[in-house]
């Protein structure tokens, strides 16, 4: 599989699974309450940006060049990996929170949300696809350069 087809596949999977993840999240019973409508709006406002990132992954080489597309995809891989852990934590009943003074991550016990475990698995698929498209070729080149 050539580089451009890996990125096109990664962009398509990023978008499709991302929309599924957002739908699962938005349709969660806790977000349907009136006091959480702002959270739903934030998710929906982010949807066009999500689509834009999918386009950058799939076709960014035409506008940004291969190097910049690879670096953006590498950053999105790390971001998606973080979301895997957040979804998994929510799924088993831990709500992660960040304290900025001093900087620390704390977990608060909440009601487990099994549907977030589905999101964690779907997000893990996105991580694998993005990793294969961007990090794997980068690591191969890095290893090859180190051997020379």
């Amino acid at each position: 599989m050539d580089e451009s087809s890996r990125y096109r596949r990664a962009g398509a999977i990023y978008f499709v699974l991302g929309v599924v993840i957002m739908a699962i999240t938005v349709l969660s019973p806790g977000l349907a309450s009136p006091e959480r409508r702002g959270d739903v709006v934030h998710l929906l406002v982010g949807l066009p940006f999500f689509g834009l990132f999918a386009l950058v992954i799939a076709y960014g080489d035409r506008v940004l060049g291969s190097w910049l597309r690879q670096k953006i995809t590498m950053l999105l891989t790390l971001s998606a990996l973080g979301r895997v852990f957040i979804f998994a934590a929510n799924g088993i009943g831990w709500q992660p929170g960040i304290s900025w003074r001093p900087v620390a991550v704390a977990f608060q016990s909440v009601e487990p949300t099994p549907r977030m475990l589905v999101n964690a698995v779907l997000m893990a698929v996105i991580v694998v696809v993005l990793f294969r498209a961007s990090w794997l070729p980068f690591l191969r080149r890095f290893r090859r350069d180190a051997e020379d």
Side-chain angles (χ1 to χ4, degrees):
M1 180 184 315
D2 69 331
E3 180 178 337
S4 61
S5 64
R6 269 197 317 268
Y7 276 98
R8 280 193 303 275
R9 180 175 293 147
I13 290 172
Y14 182 83
F15 183 74
V16 170
L17 291 184
V19 168
V20 171
I21 289 167
M22 283 188 192
I24 290 171
T25 304
V26 168
L27 296 175
S28 294
L31 283 181
S33 62
E35 62 271 2
R36 299 286 311 267
R37 283 197 184 123
D39 294 333
V40 174
V41 170
H42 285 116
L43 283 171
L44 295 177
V45 166
L47 194 58
F49 294 102
F50 197 77
L52 179 64
F53 284 132
L55 287 173
V56 166
I57 294 167
Y59 302 106
D61 60 328
R62 296 178 184 175
V63 177
L64 304 172
S66 301
W67 183 85
L68 188 54
R69 173 183 64 177
Q70 179 188 42
K71 301 313 177 207
I72 290 171
T73 305
M74 291 169 88
L75 287 172
L76 290 172
T77 305
L78 297 176
S79 171
L81 183 61
R83 286 191 302 270
V84 168
F85 291 115
I86 289 172
F87 284 137
N90 287 327
I92 61 174
W94 294 346
Q95 178 70 43
I98 298 176
S99 170
W100 297 105
R101 288 197 185 148
V103 176
V105 176
F107 292 93
Q108 176 183 358
S109 182
V110 294
E111 186 70 29
T113 314
R115 70 178 58 212
M116 291 302 125
L117 292 175
V118 173
N119 280 356
V121 169
L122 294 175
M123 190 59 69
V125 171
I126 290 173
V127 168
V128 169
V129 172
L130 293 178
F131 180 85
R132 288 185 66 210
S134 61
W135 282 95
L136 202 55
F138 171 79
L139 294 172
R140 284 184 185 141
R141 280 193 307 273
F142 183 75
R143 188 181 72 199
R144 200 172 36 241
D145 289 345
E147 289 175 356
D148 291 340

